[in-house]
Amino acid sequence: DQQVKQNSPSLSVQEGRISILNCDYTNSMFDYFLWYKKYPAEGPTFLISISSIKDKNEDGRFTVFLNKSAKHLSLHIVPSQPGDSAVYFCAASYTGANSKLTFGKGITLSVRP
Amino acid sequence: EAGVAQSPRYKIIEKRQSVAFWCNPISGHATLYWYQQILGQGPKLLIQFQNNGVVDDSQLPKDRFSAERLKGVDSTLKIQPAKLEDSAVYLCASSVAQESYGYTFGSGTRLTVV
């Protein structure tokens, strides 16, 4: 049973445009959400997070939006750059889970120059 | 700050053989995690240590997988005997505290079982 779903396996955007990466979850207990970025042959690196008490968190070119009623979150990258090309994982956890993360399958983002 | 160190980077073994992976977390990080990432899937937690104690090993296949974190620093993950479905990247991560979500991951060990 996949509790964190990233239904689109890949996304291709033009440099300078917006990239929107989507993630859905099914477990109502989740109250903390994260995005990780992964380059080939490297481990995932933490990108941005959001608590369920917020609906938006912004860090430079990266913004995460949370819609709790729809159990949906999205990562916006504006403007997209070729260096953003990577696999992006959505992850979720909940209070009391001892920071155990449940990951989605990942989305491969390609930013075309 | 040095990152999370893992070795080896790659390992190829035959099924039914045994294999061990090593992880050295960031200095001072009390919490250590081992995740398994099968190709095309997201990482899945195998085991979590707080210092040298196990916090969560509910998804560790204990009939063949074992892990230890002696002295609360380095950790080893062992598979014995290996199966074809154990082919995956094994990621080690560490964090300052048990309720700290911003893990730092190592580069992983890619295991191929043939």
Side-chain angles (χ1 to χ4, degrees), chain B residues 37-105:
Chain B
Q37 185 184 4
I38 293 173
L39 186 64
Q41 299 183 20
K44 181 186 81 172
L45 180 69
L46 291 176
I47 189 166
Q48 176 184 351
F49 292 95
Q50 178 69 15
N51 296 309
N52 61 349
V54 175
V55 174
D56 185 345
D57 63 357
S58 58
Q59 297 188 93
L60 186 74
K62 298 180 186 63
D63 58 335
R64 298 182 300 105
F65 285 65
S66 65
E68 61 182 10
R69 191 183 183 197
L70 300 176
K71 302 179 182 178
V73 181
D74 293 6
S75 178
T76 55
L77 176 69
K78 296 179 182 178
I79 308 175
Q80 181 180 10
K83 293 185 175 181
L84 295 177
E85 58 262 36
D86 298 331
S87 295
V89 176
Y90 290 85
L91 295 161
C92 180
S94 69
S95 63
V96 172
Q98 195 163 305
E99 287 295 337
S100 175
Y101 296 104
Y103 300 176
T104 300
F105 280 90

Side-chain angles (χ1 to χ4, degrees), chain A residues 50-69:
Chain A
I50 188 167
S51 164
S52 60
I53 63 173
K54 295 185 177 181
D55 54 17
K56 176 183 174 181
N57 188 26
E58 190 172 354
D59 183 1
R61 297 186 297 113
F62 302 91
T63 303
V64 56
F65 295 91
L66 175 62
N67 182 334
K68 292 185 290 293
S69 61

Side-chain angles (χ1 to χ4, degrees), chain A:
Chain A
D1 175 34
Q2 235 189 323
Q3 299 183 59
V4 177
K5 301 179 182 180
Q6 295 178 263
N7 294 319
S8 301
S10 62
L11 175 67
S12 181
V13 300
Q14 192 75 37
E15 180 179 5
R17 308 293 288 267
I18 184 171
S19 295
I20 300 176
L21 290 71
N22 294 307
C23 178
D24 298 292
Y25 61 96
T26 58
N27 189 339
S28 300
M29 291 182 64
F30 288 146
D31 58 9
Y32 200 82
F33 305 89
L34 307 90
W35 285 93
Y36 279 81
K37 175 179 177 180
K38 185 182 183 305
Y39 292 118
E42 295 183 12
T45 56
F46 170 72
L47 191 58
I48 193 169
S49 62
I50 188 167
S51 164
S52 60
I53 63 173
K54 295 185 177 181
D55 54 17
K56 176 183 174 181
N57 188 26
E58 190 172 354
D59 183 1
R61 297 186 297 113
F62 302 91
T63 303
V64 56
F65 295 91
L66 175 62
N67 182 334
K68 292 185 290 293
S69 61
K71 293 190 176 69
H72 176 84
L73 61 154
S74 60
L75 174 67
H76 293 211
I77 307 174
V78 184
S80 301
Q81 299 174 355
D84 296 329
S85 297
V87 178
Y88 289 79
F89 290 100
C90 174
S93 188
Y94 58 89
T95 304
N98 293 318
S99 64
K100 170 183 174 180
L101 295 180
T102 300
F103 284 84
K105 290 185 176 182
I107 300 172
T108 300
L109 172 66
S110 299
V111 181
R112 307 185 303 273

